[in-house]
Amino acid sequence: MHKIIKKLLTLSAFSLSASLMSPLSVADDDVIVDQSRNRTIPINITLPNNSNQCSEQAKCPVVFVNAGYGISHNNYSFASKLFNAQGYLSIAVAHELNTDPKLSRKQPYLTTRMENWHRGVVTLKFLVNQLSAQYPEYDFSQLTLFGHSNGGDISALYAAIYPNEVSQMITLDHRRMLIPRNKNIRVLTLRGSDYPADANVLLNETELKKFPVSQVMIEKSRHNDMYDGGPTWLVDRMSKEVGAFLN
């Protein structure tokens, strides 16, 4: 695992250096183009409720909301609204385009899905560098990452590669990429009850005593329901758990 992360650090540095050589191109309020990759990135930015109190001297926090595979980035409004109420700039990101390779269904996922996750990490890093200049009153140096399923896997990989740039991570039943074992990154992961996580993704009892990680099983919840379109009771429960974690 350490060899994989080390290799990705090198790949990520190369990809990001190429991205930073190209200017930002904004097509409209909901799309950014990374010209170095010729990649259109759909995003949805929502300001915190207290945005008039955010300044370069007193920066407000930032969260990236990473959608599950096959689900629109706009279908996590329950989370964005919650973050906005807590003073966060929320940036919902669509990581999959129609031109991208399909997500691999073959094991081992730590190998076969790494291309997808790494592409997501490069996208997030590009957005951090570009949007931090556009929104100087927000703190892009200590991110909160939120992700459902594959979006949680992308979040976990970003935290592994850039641990000093992530303060918190919240995932909804991500199941493939290991949760970071880092005393400086607070983690909440809400677990569905219908599918298990892969080996070593979650922390064991000994690790839970060492790291600031909360693993909450939600009984009768389904992996594919953990978004706006899920049952009201589940959306309410997820909102309650995330709100308590942020407080």
Side-chain angles (χ1 to χ4, degrees), residues 68-136:
Y69 189 76
I71 301 177
S72 169
H73 64 298
N74 290 317
N75 282 345
Y76 297 87
S77 63
F78 83 90
S80 291
K81 290 176 181 177
L82 179 61
F83 284 115
N84 292 157
Q86 295 281 348
Y88 286 74
L89 177 73
S90 175
I91 305 164
V93 184
H95 285 286
E96 274 73 49
L97 304 178
N98 291 334
T99 53
D100 291 336
K102 298 299 182 183
L103 190 66
S104 176
R105 302 297 180 185
K106 295 182 179 180
Q107 291 273 18
Y109 294 125
L110 281 177
T111 299
T112 61
R113 293 189 176 180
M114 197 57 73
E115 181 274 337
N116 176 287
W117 302 338
H118 180 257
R119 180 174 1 101
V121 168
V122 173
T123 291
L124 288 177
K125 189 62 173 171
F126 171 80
L127 292 172
V128 166
N129 283 296
Q130 300 296 345
L131 294 177
S132 60
Q134 284 187 247
Y135 294 88

Side-chain angles (χ1 to χ4, degrees), residues 174-235:
H174 87 287
R175 298 172 22 230
R176 312 303 183 189
M177 183 64 199
L178 280 61
I179 289 175
R181 274 69 166 170
N182 187 317
K183 293 183 178 180
N184 296 318
I185 301 177
R186 297 178 65 235
V187 178
L188 169 66
T189 182
L190 303 181
R191 312 308 305 170
S193 61
D194 50 348
Y195 298 113
D198 288 351
N200 301 317
V201 169
L202 303 178
L203 279 65
N204 59 37
E205 291 300 322
T206 300
E207 291 173 321
L208 287 171
K209 295 176 182 178
K210 294 172 57 178
F211 300 102
V213 175
S214 297
Q215 300 174 166
V216 179
M217 170 68 72
I218 301 180
E219 293 184 8
K220 299 181 180 180
S221 64
R222 298 197 308 169
H223 176 86
N224 291 335
D225 287 343
M226 302 178 89
Y227 73 113
D228 286 348
T232 300
W233 72 266
L234 178 55
V235 175

Side-chain angles (χ1 to χ4, degrees), residues 19 24-35 37-44 64 73 91-97 119-120 122-127 130-131:
S19 295
L24 174 71
S25 173
V26 180
D28 57 46
D29 289 341
D30 297 315
V31 174
I32 287 180
V33 178
D34 179 352
Q35 294 181 348
R37 295 186 292 161
N38 191 29
R39 185 172 184 83
T40 299
I41 307 168
I43 61 173
N44 187 354
F64 280 94
H73 64 298
I91 305 164
V93 184
H95 285 286
E96 274 73 49
L97 304 178
R119 180 174 1 101
V122 173
T123 291
L124 288 177
K125 189 62 173 171
F126 171 80
L127 292 172
Q130 300 296 345
L131 294 177

Side-chain angles (χ1 to χ4, degrees), residues 61-62 88 139 141-145 159 162-170 182-187 212 245:
V62 175
Y88 286 74
D139 186 3
S141 68
Q142 289 294 297
L143 301 172
T144 294
L145 300 177
Y162 301 109
N164 295 331
E165 300 176 17
V166 177
S167 62
Q168 301 179 120
M169 188 179 85
I170 301 168
N182 187 317
K183 293 183 178 180
N184 296 318
I185 301 177
R186 297 178 65 235
V187 178
F245 176 78

